[in-house]
PDB file of all heavy atoms in Angstrom:
ATOM      1  N   GLU B 206     -36.501 -17.771  -3.272  1.00 82.00           N
ATOM      2  CA  GLU B 206     -36.593 -18.182  -1.867  1.00 82.00           C
ATOM      3  C   GLU B 206     -36.967 -17.014  -1.000  1.00 82.00           C
ATOM      4  O   GLU B 206     -37.735 -17.083  -0.076  1.00 82.00           O
ATOM      5  CB  GLU B 206     -35.211 -18.770  -1.471  1.00 82.00           C
ATOM      6  CG  GLU B 206     -35.226 -19.469  -0.092  1.00 82.00           C
ATOM      7  CD  GLU B 206     -33.821 -19.763   0.322  1.00 82.00           C
ATOM      8  OE1 GLU B 206     -32.840 -19.454  -0.394  1.00 82.00           O
ATOM      9  OE2 GLU B 206     -33.701 -20.284   1.429  1.00 82.00           O
ATOM     10  N   GLU B 207     -36.353 -15.829  -1.346  1.00 89.00           N
ATOM     11  CA  GLU B 207     -36.601 -14.656  -0.558  1.00 89.00           C
ATOM     12  C   GLU B 207     -38.099 -14.153  -0.659  1.00 89.00           C
ATOM     13  O   GLU B 207     -38.735 -13.847   0.299  1.00 89.00           O
ATOM     14  CB  GLU B 207     -35.613 -13.538  -1.039  1.00 89.00           C
ATOM     15  CG  GLU B 207     -35.756 -12.254  -0.329  1.00 89.00           C
ATOM     16  CD  GLU B 207     -34.536 -11.364  -0.547  1.00 89.00           C
ATOM     17  OE1 GLU B 207     -33.430 -11.844  -0.135  1.00 89.00           O
ATOM     18  OE2 GLU B 207     -34.637 -10.296  -1.169  1.00 89.00           O
ATOM     19  N   ALA B 208     -38.535 -14.117  -1.889  1.00 88.00           N
ATOM     20  CA  ALA B 208     -39.907 -13.668  -2.197  1.00 88.00           C
ATOM     21  C   ALA B 208     -40.854 -14.676  -1.457  1.00 88.00           C
ATOM     22  O   ALA B 208     -41.866 -14.318  -0.859  1.00 88.00           O
ATOM     23  CB  ALA B 208     -40.187 -13.609  -3.606  1.00 88.00           C
ATOM     24  N   ASP B 209     -40.539 -15.908  -1.563  1.00 86.00           N
ATOM     25  CA  ASP B 209     -41.324 -17.033  -0.982  1.00 86.00           C
ATOM     26  C   ASP B 209     -41.472 -16.780   0.520  1.00 86.00           C
ATOM     27  O   ASP B 209     -42.510 -16.936   1.103  1.00 86.00           O
ATOM     28  CB  ASP B 209     -40.539 -18.338  -1.219  1.00 86.00           C
ATOM     29  CG  ASP B 209     -41.407 -19.581  -0.833  1.00 86.00           C
ATOM     30  OD1 ASP B 209     -42.536 -19.367  -0.447  1.00 86.00           O
ATOM     31  OD2 ASP B 209     -40.867 -20.657  -0.913  1.00 86.00           O
ATOM     32  N   ARG B 210     -40.367 -16.426   1.162  1.00 89.00           N
ATOM     33  CA  ARG B 210     -40.289 -16.282   2.535  1.00 89.00           C
ATOM     34  C   ARG B 210     -41.038 -15.007   3.061  1.00 89.00           C
ATOM     35  O   ARG B 210     -41.651 -15.048   4.121  1.00 89.00           O
ATOM     36  CB  ARG B 210     -38.810 -16.251   2.909  1.00 89.00           C
ATOM     37  CG  ARG B 210     -38.486 -15.742   4.254  1.00 89.00           C
ATOM     38  CD  ARG B 210     -38.519 -16.944   5.272  1.00 89.00           C
ATOM     39  NE  ARG B 210     -38.379 -16.454   6.572  1.00 89.00           N
ATOM     40  CZ  ARG B 210     -37.273 -16.365   7.328  1.00 89.00           C
ATOM     41  NH1 ARG B 210     -36.169 -16.919   6.841  1.00 89.00           N
ATOM     42  NH2 ARG B 210     -37.252 -15.827   8.500  1.00 89.00           N
ATOM     43  N   LEU B 211     -40.977 -13.957   2.208  1.00 92.00           N
ATOM     44  CA  LEU B 211     -41.472 -12.633   2.758  1.00 92.00           C
ATOM     45  C   LEU B 211     -42.755 -12.170   2.138  1.00 92.00           C
ATOM     46  O   LEU B 211     -43.444 -11.365   2.799  1.00 92.00           O
ATOM     47  CB  LEU B 211     -40.351 -11.584   2.524  1.00 92.00           C
ATOM     48  CG  LEU B 211     -39.036 -11.776   3.201  1.00 92.00           C
ATOM     49  CD1 LEU B 211     -37.975 -10.851   2.716  1.00 92.00           C
ATOM     50  CD2 LEU B 211     -39.190 -11.697   4.708  1.00 92.00           C
ATOM     51  N   ALA B 212     -43.043 -12.530   0.926  1.00 93.00           N
ATOM     52  CA  ALA B 212     -44.104 -11.914   0.233  1.00 93.00           C
ATOM     53  C   ALA B 212     -45.436 -12.636   0.388  1.00 93.00           C
ATOM     54  O   ALA B 212     -45.463 -13.864   0.343  1.00 93.00           O
ATOM     55  CB  ALA B 212     -43.770 -11.677  -1.219  1.00 93.00           C
ATOM     56  N   ASP B 213     -46.544 -11.884   0.376  1.00 92.00           N
ATOM     57  CA  ASP B 213     -47.835 -12.515   0.385  1.00 92.00           C
ATOM     58  C   ASP B 213     -48.159 -12.948  -1.056  1.00 92.00           C
ATOM     59  O   ASP B 213     -48.755 -13.921  -1.318  1.00 92.00           O
ATOM     60  CB  ASP B 213     -48.922 -11.492   0.841  1.00 92.00           C
ATOM     61  CG  ASP B 213     -48.640 -11.014   2.207  1.00 92.00           C
ATOM     62  OD1 ASP B 213     -48.541 -11.891   3.104  1.00 92.00           O
ATOM     63  OD2 ASP B 213     -48.593  -9.804   2.419  1.00 92.00           O
ATOM     64  N   ARG B 214     -47.738 -12.053  -1.992  1.00 93.00           N
ATOM     65  CA  ARG B 214     -48.031 -12.379  -3.392  1.00 93.00           C
ATOM     66  C   ARG B 214     -46.706 -12.044  -4.168  1.00 93.00           C
ATOM     67  O   ARG B 214     -45.930 -11.143  -3.739  1.00 93.00           O
ATOM     68  CB  ARG B 214     -49.162 -11.546  -3.942  1.00 93.00           C
ATOM     69  CG  ARG B 214     -50.500 -11.996  -3.392  1.00 93.00           C
ATOM     70  CD  ARG B 214     -51.642 -11.259  -3.976  1.00 93.00           C
ATOM     71  NE  ARG B 214     -51.283  -9.855  -3.858  1.00 93.00           N
ATOM     72  CZ  ARG B 214     -51.453  -8.960  -4.868  1.00 93.00           C
ATOM     73  NH1 ARG B 214     -51.825  -9.371  -6.035  1.00 93.00           N
ATOM     74  NH2 ARG B 214     -51.117  -7.714  -4.662  1.00 93.00           N
ATOM     75  N   MET B 215     -46.569 -12.670  -5.328  1.00 92.00           N
ATOM     76  CA  MET B 215     -45.383 -12.402  -6.131  1.00 92.00           C
ATOM     77  C   MET B 215     -45.781 -12.006  -7.519  1.00 92.00           C
ATOM     78  O   MET B 215     -46.860 -12.350  -8.002  1.00 92.00           O
ATOM     79  CB  MET B 215     -44.538 -13.644  -6.264  1.00 92.00           C
ATOM     80  CG  MET B 215     -44.023 -14.190  -4.934  1.00 92.00           C
ATOM     81  SD  MET B 215     -42.959 -15.568  -5.379  1.00 92.00           S
ATOM     82  CE  MET B 215     -42.794 -16.246  -3.737  1.00 92.00           C
ATOM     83  N   MET B 216     -44.857 -11.299  -8.142  1.00 93.00           N
ATOM     84  CA  MET B 216     -45.095 -10.954  -9.548  1.00 93.00           C
ATOM     85  C   MET B 216     -43.771 -11.134 -10.217  1.00 93.00           C
ATOM     86  O   MET B 216     -42.750 -10.653  -9.651  1.00 93.00           O
ATOM     87  CB  MET B 216     -45.485  -9.475  -9.531  1.00 93.00           C
ATOM     88  CG  MET B 216     -46.303  -9.097 -10.724  1.00 93.00           C
ATOM     89  SD  MET B 216     -46.888  -7.457 -10.530  1.00 93.00           S
ATOM     90  CE  MET B 216     -45.527  -6.573 -11.297  1.00 93.00           C
ATOM     91  N   VAL B 217     -43.790 -11.804 -11.383  1.00 91.00           N
ATOM     92  CA  VAL B 217     -42.499 -12.020 -12.065  1.00 91.00           C
ATOM     93  C   VAL B 217     -42.448 -11.082 -13.245  1.00 91.00           C
ATOM     94  O   VAL B 217     -43.405 -10.989 -14.054  1.00 91.00           O
ATOM     95  CB  VAL B 217     -42.304 -13.440 -12.548  1.00 91.00           C
ATOM     96  CG1 VAL B 217     -41.008 -13.689 -13.204  1.00 91.00           C
ATOM     97  CG2 VAL B 217     -42.594 -14.414 -11.345  1.00 91.00           C
ATOM     98  N   ILE B 218     -41.343 -10.322 -13.358  1.00 92.00           N
ATOM     99  CA  ILE B 218     -41.319  -9.427 -14.523  1.00 92.00           C
ATOM    100  C   ILE B 218     -40.068  -9.806 -15.338  1.00 92.00           C
ATOM    101  O   ILE B 218     -39.043 -10.208 -14.840  1.00 92.00           O
ATOM    102  CB  ILE B 218     -41.414  -7.883 -14.304  1.00 92.00           C
ATOM    103  CG1 ILE B 218     -40.223  -7.433 -13.526  1.00 92.00           C
ATOM    104  CG2 ILE B 218     -42.692  -7.635 -13.581  1.00 92.00           C
ATOM    105  CD1 ILE B 218     -40.237  -5.869 -13.518  1.00 92.00           C
ATOM    106  N   ASP B 219     -40.195  -9.608 -16.644  1.00 89.00           N
ATOM    107  CA  ASP B 219     -39.106  -9.895 -17.586  1.00 89.00           C
ATOM    108  C   ASP B 219     -39.170  -8.867 -18.681  1.00 89.00           C
ATOM    109  O   ASP B 219     -40.235  -8.777 -19.266  1.00 89.00           O
ATOM    110  CB  ASP B 219     -39.188 -11.351 -18.085  1.00 89.00           C
ATOM    111  CG  ASP B 219     -38.068 -11.706 -18.966  1.00 89.00           C
ATOM    112  OD1 ASP B 219     -36.918 -11.294 -18.715  1.00 89.00           O
ATOM    113  OD2 ASP B 219     -38.323 -12.410 -20.008  1.00 89.00           O
ATOM    114  N   ARG B 220     -38.020  -8.286 -18.979  1.00 89.00           N
ATOM    115  CA  ARG B 220     -37.982  -7.298 -20.080  1.00 89.00           C
ATOM    116  C   ARG B 220     -39.154  -6.291 -19.995  1.00 89.00           C
ATOM    117  O   ARG B 220     -39.832  -6.070 -21.064  1.00 89.00           O
ATOM    118  CB  ARG B 220     -38.027  -8.017 -21.402  1.00 89.00           C
ATOM    119  CG  ARG B 220     -36.814  -8.865 -21.598  1.00 89.00           C
ATOM    120  CD  ARG B 220     -36.942  -9.767 -22.742  1.00 89.00           C
ATOM    121  NE  ARG B 220     -35.831 -10.707 -22.758  1.00 89.00           N
ATOM    122  CZ  ARG B 220     -35.788 -11.745 -23.575  1.00 89.00           C
ATOM    123  NH1 ARG B 220     -36.734 -11.959 -24.439  1.00 89.00           N
ATOM    124  NH2 ARG B 220     -34.755 -12.582 -23.529  1.00 89.00           N
ATOM    125  N   GLY B 221     -39.471  -5.767 -18.847  1.00 92.00           N
ATOM    126  CA  GLY B 221     -40.432  -4.805 -18.697  1.00 92.00           C
ATOM    127  C   GLY B 221     -41.842  -5.234 -18.816  1.00 92.00           C
ATOM    128  O   GLY B 221     -42.818  -4.399 -18.900  1.00 92.00           O
ATOM    129  N   ARG B 222     -42.134  -6.504 -18.757  1.00 92.00           N
ATOM    130  CA  ARG B 222     -43.528  -7.034 -18.770  1.00 92.00           C
ATOM    131  C   ARG B 222     -43.753  -7.979 -17.614  1.00 92.00           C
ATOM    132  O   ARG B 222     -42.807  -8.686 -17.208  1.00 92.00           O
ATOM    133  CB  ARG B 222     -43.755  -7.911 -20.048  1.00 92.00           C
ATOM    134  CG  ARG B 222     -43.980  -7.033 -21.276  1.00 92.00           C
ATOM    135  CD  ARG B 222     -44.004  -8.005 -22.471  1.00 92.00           C
ATOM    136  NE  ARG B 222     -43.545  -7.328 -23.657  1.00 92.00           N
ATOM    137  CZ  ARG B 222     -44.352  -6.498 -24.336  1.00 92.00           C
ATOM    138  NH1 ARG B 222     -45.559  -6.250 -23.963  1.00 92.00           N
ATOM    139  NH2 ARG B 222     -43.859  -5.882 -25.374  1.00 92.00           N
ATOM    140  N   VAL B 223     -44.979  -7.937 -17.126  1.00 93.00           N
ATOM    141  CA  VAL B 223     -45.349  -8.911 -16.050  1.00 93.00           C
ATOM    142  C   VAL B 223     -45.562 -10.253 -16.735  1.00 93.00           C
ATOM    143  O   VAL B 223     -46.419 -10.333 -17.686  1.00 93.00           O
ATOM    144  CB  VAL B 223     -46.612  -8.465 -15.365  1.00 93.00           C
ATOM    145  CG1 VAL B 223     -47.007  -9.523 -14.308  1.00 93.00           C
ATOM    146  CG2 VAL B 223     -46.442  -7.120 -14.732  1.00 93.00           C
ATOM    147  N   ILE B 224     -44.875 -11.288 -16.364  1.00 89.00           N
ATOM    148  CA  ILE B 224     -45.111 -12.620 -17.017  1.00 89.00           C
ATOM    149  C   ILE B 224     -45.823 -13.567 -16.215  1.00 89.00           C
ATOM    150  O   ILE B 224     -46.279 -14.578 -16.615  1.00 89.00           O
ATOM    151  CB  ILE B 224     -43.777 -13.172 -17.540  1.00 89.00           C
ATOM    152  CG1 ILE B 224     -42.808 -13.408 -16.419  1.00 89.00           C
ATOM    153  CG2 ILE B 224     -43.187 -12.317 -18.656  1.00 89.00           C
ATOM    154  CD1 ILE B 224     -41.564 -14.141 -16.827  1.00 89.00           C
ATOM    155  N   ALA B 225     -45.930 -13.293 -14.892  1.00 89.00           N
ATOM    156  CA  ALA B 225     -46.744 -14.167 -14.014  1.00 89.00           C
ATOM    157  C   ALA B 225     -47.010 -13.477 -12.694  1.00 89.00           C
ATOM    158  O   ALA B 225     -46.219 -12.640 -12.234  1.00 89.00           O
ATOM    159  CB  ALA B 225     -46.001 -15.495 -13.721  1.00 89.00           C
ATOM    160  N   ARG B 226     -48.182 -13.811 -12.084  1.00 90.00           N
ATOM    161  CA  ARG B 226     -48.466 -13.319 -10.734  1.00 90.00           C
ATOM    162  C   ARG B 226     -49.088 -14.463  -9.946  1.00 90.00           C
ATOM    163  O   ARG B 226     -49.684 -15.321 -10.536  1.00 90.00           O
ATOM    164  CB  ARG B 226     -49.326 -12.097 -10.721  1.00 90.00           C
ATOM    165  CG  ARG B 226     -49.683 -11.515 -11.938  1.00 90.00           C
ATOM    166  CD  ARG B 226     -50.713 -10.398 -11.760  1.00 90.00           C
ATOM    167  NE  ARG B 226     -50.630  -9.529 -12.905  1.00 90.00           N
ATOM    168  CZ  ARG B 226     -50.314  -8.274 -12.855  1.00 90.00           C
ATOM    169  NH1 ARG B 226     -50.072  -7.700 -11.739  1.00 90.00           N
ATOM    170  NH2 ARG B 226     -50.260  -7.556 -13.976  1.00 90.00           N
ATOM    171  N   GLY B 227     -48.953 -14.365  -8.629  1.00 87.00           N
ATOM    172  CA  GLY B 227     -49.637 -15.426  -7.836  1.00 87.00           C
ATOM    173  C   GLY B 227     -48.970 -15.535  -6.513  1.00 87.00           C
ATOM    174  O   GLY B 227     -48.049 -14.815  -6.156  1.00 87.00           O
ATOM    175  N   THR B 228     -49.343 -16.522  -5.744  1.00 84.00           N
ATOM    176  CA  THR B 228     -48.698 -16.812  -4.460  1.00 84.00           C
ATOM    177  C   THR B 228     -47.504 -17.612  -4.771  1.00 84.00           C
ATOM    178  O   THR B 228     -47.372 -18.158  -5.838  1.00 84.00           O
ATOM    179  CB  THR B 228     -49.613 -17.531  -3.505  1.00 84.00           C
ATOM    180  OG1 THR B 228     -49.928 -18.825  -4.152  1.00 84.00           O
ATOM    181  CG2 THR B 228     -50.918 -16.813  -3.268  1.00 84.00           C
ATOM    182  N   ALA B 229     -46.688 -17.778  -3.821  1.00 77.00           N
ATOM    183  CA  ALA B 229     -45.426 -18.628  -3.918  1.00 77.00           C
ATOM    184  C   ALA B 229     -45.863 -20.004  -4.374  1.00 77.00           C
ATOM    185  O   ALA B 229     -45.229 -20.566  -5.302  1.00 77.00           O
ATOM    186  CB  ALA B 229     -44.632 -18.607  -2.653  1.00 77.00           C
ATOM    187  N   ASP B 230     -46.842 -20.593  -3.749  1.00 76.00           N
ATOM    188  CA  ASP B 230     -47.189 -21.971  -4.059  1.00 76.00           C
ATOM    189  C   ASP B 230     -47.720 -22.119  -5.508  1.00 76.00           C
ATOM    190  O   ASP B 230     -47.414 -23.016  -6.239  1.00 76.00           O
ATOM    191  CB  ASP B 230     -48.304 -22.417  -3.099  1.00 76.00           C
ATOM    192  CG  ASP B 230     -47.743 -22.671  -1.744  1.00 76.00           C
ATOM    193  OD1 ASP B 230     -46.528 -22.815  -1.624  1.00 76.00           O
ATOM    194  OD2 ASP B 230     -48.529 -22.717  -0.779  1.00 76.00           O
ATOM    195  N   GLU B 231     -48.505 -21.095  -5.949  1.00 80.00           N
ATOM    196  CA  GLU B 231     -48.983 -21.093  -7.274  1.00 80.00           C
ATOM    197  C   GLU B 231     -47.917 -21.058  -8.286  1.00 80.00           C
ATOM    198  O   GLU B 231     -47.882 -21.759  -9.317  1.00 80.00           O
ATOM    199  CB  GLU B 231     -49.981 -19.931  -7.525  1.00 80.00           C
ATOM    200  CG  GLU B 231     -51.328 -20.177  -6.775  1.00 80.00           C
ATOM    201  CD  GLU B 231     -52.146 -18.888  -6.640  1.00 80.00           C
ATOM    202  OE1 GLU B 231     -51.581 -17.831  -6.693  1.00 80.00           O
ATOM    203  OE2 GLU B 231     -53.346 -19.098  -6.470  1.00 80.00           O
ATOM    204  N   LEU B 232     -46.889 -20.179  -8.036  1.00 78.00           N
ATOM    205  CA  LEU B 232     -45.793 -20.129  -8.964  1.00 78.00           C
ATOM    206  C   LEU B 232     -44.998 -21.407  -8.981  1.00 78.00           C
ATOM    207  O   LEU B 232     -44.582 -21.893 -10.039  1.00 78.00           O
ATOM    208  CB  LEU B 232     -44.882 -18.909  -8.567  1.00 78.00           C
ATOM    209  CG  LEU B 232     -45.334 -17.534  -8.934  1.00 78.00           C
ATOM    210  CD1 LEU B 232     -44.281 -16.538  -8.575  1.00 78.00           C
ATOM    211  CD2 LEU B 232     -45.517 -17.484 -10.464  1.00 78.00           C
ATOM    212  N   LYS B 233     -44.784 -21.930  -7.762  1.00 73.00           N
ATOM    213  CA  LYS B 233     -43.994 -23.120  -7.748  1.00 73.00           C
ATOM    214  C   LYS B 233     -44.681 -24.296  -8.362  1.00 73.00           C
ATOM    215  O   LYS B 233     -44.032 -25.167  -8.917  1.00 73.00           O
ATOM    216  CB  LYS B 233     -43.593 -23.494  -6.284  1.00 73.00           C
ATOM    217  CG  LYS B 233     -42.308 -22.660  -5.907  1.00 73.00           C
ATOM    218  CD  LYS B 233     -41.699 -23.290  -4.700  1.00 73.00           C
ATOM    219  CE  LYS B 233     -41.776 -22.270  -3.569  1.00 73.00           C
ATOM    220  NZ  LYS B 233     -41.570 -22.749  -2.256  1.00 73.00           N
ATOM    221  N   ALA B 234     -45.964 -24.315  -8.238  1.00 70.00           N
ATOM    222  CA  ALA B 234     -46.766 -25.425  -8.875  1.00 70.00           C
ATOM    223  C   ALA B 234     -46.444 -25.365 -10.380  1.00 70.00           C
ATOM    224  O   ALA B 234     -46.331 -26.342 -11.028  1.00 70.00           O
ATOM    225  CB  ALA B 234     -48.255 -25.256  -8.583  1.00 70.00           C
TER     226      ALA B 234
END
Side-chain angles (χ1 to χ4, degrees):
Chain B
E206 193 191 357
E207 182 163 295
D209 187 6
R210 167 90 190 257
L211 299 171
D213 300 307
R214 289 181 311 132
M215 299 187 194
M216 205 173 90
V217 184
I218 67 171
D219 180 39
R220 297 168 188 172
R222 284 173 206 282
V223 179
I224 58 171
R226 353 174 160 241
T228 63
D230 289 340
E231 286 163 340
L232 280 182
K233 273 197 246 165

